[in-house]
Every structure is written in structure tokens, then in C-alpha cells.
Amino acid sequence: MAEVIGVRFKEVGKVYYFDPLDNKLSRGDMVIVETARGLECGEVATPNKTIDESELTHPLKPLIRIADEEDLKHLAENRLRESEAYKICEQKIANHHLDMKLVNVEYTFDNSKILFYFTADGRVDFRALVKDLASIFRTRIELRQIGVRDEAKMLGGLGICGKPFCCASFMGEFQPVSIKMAKEQGLSLSPVKISGTCGRLMCCLKYEQEAYTDLLKRTPKIGAIVNTPEGKGLVVENNLIARTLKVKLDNAPEDVAPKTFFVKQCGLVKDGYIKVGKKELEEFKGLE
């Protein structure tokens, strides 16, 4: 077993474990720790707790110190430096005629490195830009290309639901979302209706997927053959929430509309299946 604290370096970022070294810390405390990027100042998101060592993916790094007033002042100064560096980098990108969009700038706490995050449609040769920036800031420069989901998380905004982006307000890490989820939840496969502001599938498709997966196990799918109180038929529509089925009865004339039954009234003969076809995968490839 190992005693750890969880530290977050961004307002809504991933939580990393560190060794508290016998210090008792509370949620919201600011601490200085050593990371792969050098010394960083982060906020305690998880107070002291004990976990199994099998949960650790890397050796624990120790807490350096609890942040004091001088550290917090330095952190605030870095935020001002980042704002200035952003303006300078934007101007340099324009000067070099690079097809890239600057999204964010981060100084490491010890000022040993500046990270510039950007988006671009393809690969960008930014070697001349790096040299230019290094000559201005006199420190290590790293340009990091990110995706549109990461851009949305950094910039924030309002989703189509009218609320702040999930990724920017409470999601520490992105979860995989697929077209199959939208299909299993009976949603319209329209890019406008199932994609977020970032242009990718909405993260909220993941939230209820577990419930829908459970319901699908207990509900005949479209294409299933079932026995009903009025005879055998083919399921042409199902409502997972209402637990109802629309069944085209074998003994009914062609021009008669399907009849609605509750799931509990029907016995499954042969289940159907939900499949995302190649054409659908190709059509929505860019959304996942």
C-alpha cells in the first residue's frame, strides 16, 4: 500500500499521484512538485489517501514543498508572461506565413520551458518559428500540435445544451465515443445533432451508454422475431425507455400498420442486431 495525494495542474485536468512525505494536505492546497516537465505548481484535488501499489503506473515522485506566498506570486507572474508570449507568437506565426492556429501558451513553473499549443490541418514545418521564439525568450521552446477536442477543453465555451462544455468544466480525461453508441441509443445519425461544438461526437453520448447497453440486453432489437399475444412477428421499432415494441405480425395483411406491445408481453424467438455499416463508418469517420 502507498499513501498518495492527487494533484491537478489545470482547472479541469488529469489528476496525478505524488508522495506527500508525511504532510497532511487538504483539497485546494497549492503544492510544488517535480514532473516530467520540471518543477510545477499544482492544486491538491485528492487529499491524503492509501491506494494499492498496483494502481501506480509510474514510481511516485515526492512532494517538494507546500506553496508559499512567493510561489503563488511567481505563478501569477507566469500567467501574465503567458499572455504576452501568446501575442508575440501569434505575430511570429503571421510573419512566417504558417498555416496554424495558436490555442494556448504555458510556462513551466520554473520557467525552464514554454509550451505553445496549436491546431493545424496537417503537418507544419515550424523549425524557423522555434528558432525565432527561442531567440526572444531565451529558454526552451516546445510547439505541441493538439486536436479539436483538446482545443475545446482549453478554450471552453457553451455546448448546444446551453451549458459550459463538459470537457472544460468537469471532465479530467476524454472518454472514447463511437457512432455505434449513437445508433444503440436510437439517435438520429445526423452530424448536426450528434456532434459538439468541436465538430466531434458529443462526449455526453458516453454518460448513458451503460444504461442503454443493459436495456439492449433485455429488449429485442429491430429485426428480431418475437411471439406476441396475437402471433409471431418482426420487430420494426423498439423504445428502450418505454419498454415497448412495434411488431409487424406475420398473420396481418401487408397494409396493416405494426402493432405495439410491451416487451414483457413478447417472447424472443430470434434476436436482431445493431450494426454500423461500412458506408456509415465512412460517412461519420471524421466525427469520432
Side-chain angles (χ1 to χ4, degrees):
M1 303 296 284
E3 185 178 8
V4 300
I5 54 169
V7 179
R8 180 182 281 135
F9 300 101
K10 296 179 181 178
E11 187 175 347
V12 187
K14 185 177 178 180
V15 175
Y16 298 88
Y17 287 143
F18 291 88
D19 184 348
L21 295 180
D22 298 325
N23 291 285
K24 294 299 178 183
L25 296 156
S26 303
R27 191 189 305 272
D29 287 346
M30 301 300 290
V31 294
I32 308 299
V33 292
E34 185 180 353
T35 70
R37 302 196 322 186
L39 285 184
E40 290 284 13
C41 182
E43 180 183 349
V44 175
T46 308
N48 299 60
K49 70 173 185 176
T50 303
I51 63 171
D52 194 286
E53 292 188 5
S54 61
E55 294 182 44
L56 300 174
T57 54
H58 300 286
L60 276 180
K61 290 191 175 182
L63 171 76
I64 302 298
R65 64 179 182 272
I66 298 172
D68 56 23
E69 286 188 21
E70 198 62 34
D71 292 323
L72 297 180
K73 181 181 176 183
H74 181 67
L75 190 64
E77 289 172 351
N78 277 355
R79 298 292 88 87
L80 294 175
R81 292 190 184 102
E82 288 167 357
S83 179
E84 187 61 31
Y86 186 97
K87 295 175 185 176
I88 293 172
C89 186
E90 267 198 325
Q91 184 59 53
K92 293 300 179 183
I93 288 172
N95 293 346
H96 287 276
H97 305 291
L98 295 173
D99 188 16
M100 57 191 285
K101 176 188 173 185
L102 185 63
V103 176
N104 197 19
V105 179
E106 285 182 8
Y107 266 82
T108 57
F109 181 75
D110 56 8
N111 300 134
S112 61
K113 184 194 293 185
I114 311 176
L115 294 96
F116 295 87
Y117 297 93
F118 72 94
T119 58
D121 291 334
R123 293 178 63 87
V124 179
D125 185 357
F126 47 69
R127 288 174 293 183
L129 174 62
V130 171
K131 290 180 181 177
D132 212 353
L133 293 173
S135 67
I136 295 171
F137 297 107
R138 302 291 181 181
T139 189
R140 290 174 60 198
I141 302 294
E142 181 178 330
L143 268 74
R144 190 173 294 178
Q145 188 169 355
I146 61 174
V148 289
R149 286 186 187 275
D150 294 299
E151 179 185 14
K153 185 177 180 67
M154 286 184 175
L155 297 180
L158 296 178
I160 58 173
C161 59
K163 293 185 176 183
F165 293 160
C166 297
C167 59
S169 54
F170 64 85
M171 281 177 59
E173 297 181 78
F174 289 108
Q175 298 294 320
V177 190
S178 67
I179 290 295
K180 189 178 180 183
M181 289 181 183
K183 200 161 186 178
E184 288 179 343
Q185 293 175 29
L187 300 175
S188 168
L189 293 189
S190 164
V192 176
K193 294 183 179 180
I194 60 175
S195 57
T197 309
C198 63
R200 297 292 187 266
L201 289 174
M202 294 187 293
C203 294
C204 53
L205 289 177
K206 180 73 175 178
Y207 301 161
E208 296 180 355
Q209 182 59 24
E210 188 176 332
Y212 276 97
T213 300
D214 180 61
L215 287 171
L216 281 168
K217 290 177 182 177
R218 298 181 283 114
T219 307
K221 302 174 184 66
I222 294 173
I225 298 172
V226 295
N227 283 320
T228 76
E230 298 184 27
K232 188 183 292 185
L234 179 73
V235 176
V236 294
E237 185 180 317
N238 62 10
N239 187 319
L240 296 177
I241 306 300
R243 307 286 288 143
T244 59
L245 304 172
K246 281 190 177 181
V247 181
K248 181 70 176 175
L249 296 171
D250 292 349
N251 56 15
E254 284 296 321
D255 58 345
V256 173
K259 296 204 69 173
T260 301
F261 300 92
F262 287 105
V263 171
K264 62 184 179 182
Q265 294 178 289
C266 304
L268 183 64
V269 176
K270 181 183 177 182
D271 204 1
Y273 61 93
I274 296 175
K275 182 181 179 182
V276 181
K278 289 184 179 179
K279 185 178 179 181
E280 289 175 320
L281 281 174
E282 191 63 34
E283 186 178 352
F284 296 100
K285 188 178 180 180
L287 291 182
E288 293 187 347

